[in-house]
Amino acid sequence: IGLIVSDLSNTSFADICRKIENLSTEAGYLTIIGSSDDKKEKTDRLISKLMHTGVDGMIIAPCPDNDKAVRQLLERDVPVVFLDRDIEDICGVGRVLVDNVIAGEKAAQILVEQGFRKIMLVRYETQIRSLLDREVGYVNFMARMNLSPLVKIVGKDTMRNDMVSVLRNAVEDGVEAVIFPSNSITLAGIAAINRLGYHIPS
């Protein structure tokens, strides 16, 4: 079974990969795992390599533009399951997805229930639907509460440095709470908080 996730060092994906590997082994399968780094070209290359090794099936956290490579798998009758992310116009695949809009709403709701009103969401530049849906959920909830959403977008490759200035400006502007909608953004955010000498939750 070929398994492609965005980043094996991401603890969420690492836990999922370990569970899949255990279940595959129990069923008599070998699992071959690769990281795509959310890059279309790398994902396409991994799909092609795994397809040519003769995998019996693939589990993929796809990038937005991987539809052509996935269709080639389906044309060869390789079963495919999308994990965590979706390519909506592809039929004939399994899907294991989180409702990311609700996840974004819940993140904002928890903070509002704690009394915060000026809440910022920080994400990196992306077309990844799961991240964008979390932002939609946050914006929707803030609007329902008659609160102004505040979204900051940092560069993916410059995220650690960008995050320092975004958080410094946020504190100066009176932002009371911040939502980091993915593991990699959270790590960059905590690193920036430490560099700035700030303390969580104060």
Side-chain angles (χ1 to χ4, degrees), residues 87-143:
I87 302 175
E88 292 177 4
D89 62 343
I90 291 188
C91 300
V93 301
R95 289 172 165 88
V96 180
L97 307 171
V98 171
D99 189 326
N100 286 292
V101 173
I102 288 179
E105 290 180 359
K106 290 291 183 188
Q109 180 181 353
I110 287 167
L111 293 171
V112 168
E113 287 174 353
Q114 291 177 358
F116 300 109
R117 293 296 176 265
K118 194 164 184 180
I119 302 166
M120 180 173 74
L121 180 140
V122 184
R123 68 167 174 87
Y124 56 75
E125 297 171 290
T126 186
Q127 293 302 311
I128 295 170
R129 188 78 253 153
S130 56
L131 271 182
L132 298 176
D133 283 349
R134 289 170 201 165
E135 179 184 334
V136 167
Y138 154 79
V139 169
N140 289 348
F141 183 82
M142 295 292 281

Side-chain angles (χ1 to χ4, degrees), residues 1-4 29-34 44-58 73 76 78:
I1 295 174
L3 173 57
I4 301 172
Y29 288 90
L30 172 71
T31 307
I32 305 169
I33 305 171
D44 285 350
R45 196 163 54 249
L46 284 166
I47 290 172
S48 178
K49 282 280 187 192
L50 290 167
M51 181 171 60
H52 287 99
T53 64
V55 291
D56 295 297
M58 291 195 63
L73 286 171
R76 293 181 179 225
V78 177

